[in-house]
Amino acid sequence: MAQSILAVRESRPTMKKAKSGKSRSTAKASVAPKDVDEYMASVPEPARTTLSKMRATIRSAVPAGATEVISYRMPAFRHNGVLVWFAAFSDHCSLFPTAAIIEKFKNELKPFSTSKGTIQFPTNKSLPTALIKKLVKARVAQNESKKRR
């Protein structure tokens, strides 16, 4: 009896997973990066240049005591909790400032593709650094107000 069950199992066709339509990060996903520099090194051009500009812009807007971390396999800045995440994809770089910040700035974000918690910046266009600074500073203020409660 055991042989016949085994024979049936072996004769069944295996099912392949369907590919999702979601875009994948350009950073190599096989091993989680240990730090932001390692993540950045794994990103191919032109996304690396765009992501480097985004990183510098975010760094200029966060408090001096903020630290860079890897969270959910993505680079992030932390100060009293995670402020923002950022990541590179095949044709864009994304900023993840939380849904509340995206909602607050929805009119200024109309030229960009957004979802509930993500803003996509195409790698073939100049990065809106002033807007990114404004989003990050709003996120810092949001985190600070939660801390005081």
Side-chain angles (χ1 to χ4, degrees):
M1 181 76 167
Q3 287 179 332
S4 62
I5 292 172
L6 182 59
V8 170
R9 283 188 187 155
E10 289 176 353
S11 67
R12 282 192 228 161
T14 57
M15 297 198 53
K16 292 183 178 180
K17 289 185 177 181
K19 289 186 177 182
S20 71
K22 295 179 182 177
S23 61
R24 307 279 271 155
S25 173
T26 60
K28 293 176 183 152
S30 59
V31 177
K34 67 178 187 283
D35 59 28
V36 177
D37 289 330
E38 186 177 296
Y39 179 95
M40 298 294 289
S42 71
V43 176
E45 289 297 347
R48 183 182 307 155
T49 297
T50 303
L51 200 65
S52 293
K53 288 177 186 172
M54 185 181 288
R55 180 185 188 188
T57 301
I58 295 167
R59 186 180 286 144
S60 73
V62 297
T67 57
E68 290 185 304
V69 297
I70 294 293
S71 173
Y72 298 104
R73 292 184 170 224
M74 292 183 289
F77 279 86
R78 179 184 295 273
H79 183 74
N80 300 323
V82 174
L83 295 169
V84 294
W85 294 261
F86 58 106
F89 296 87
S90 59
D91 62 348
H92 67 276
C93 289
S94 289
L95 179 68
F96 304 86
T98 73
I101 298 299
I102 291 174
E103 179 61 28
K104 182 176 180 178
F105 291 94
K106 66 183 175 188
N107 290 333
E108 292 176 68
L109 293 171
K110 282 183 181 176
F112 305 99
S113 178
T114 61
S115 66
K116 185 177 179 181
T118 309
I119 308 160
Q120 294 180 0
F121 299 102
T123 56
N124 63 352
K125 294 185 179 170
S126 70
L127 199 62
T129 55
L131 176 59
I132 291 172
K133 281 183 184 182
K134 189 186 290 189
L135 296 168
V136 172
K137 286 180 180 184
R139 182 70 181 116
V140 169
Q142 184 185 50
N143 251 25
E144 289 296 322
S145 70
K146 286 181 183 176
K147 180 183 166 190
R148 286 187 217 118
R149 290 181 188 173

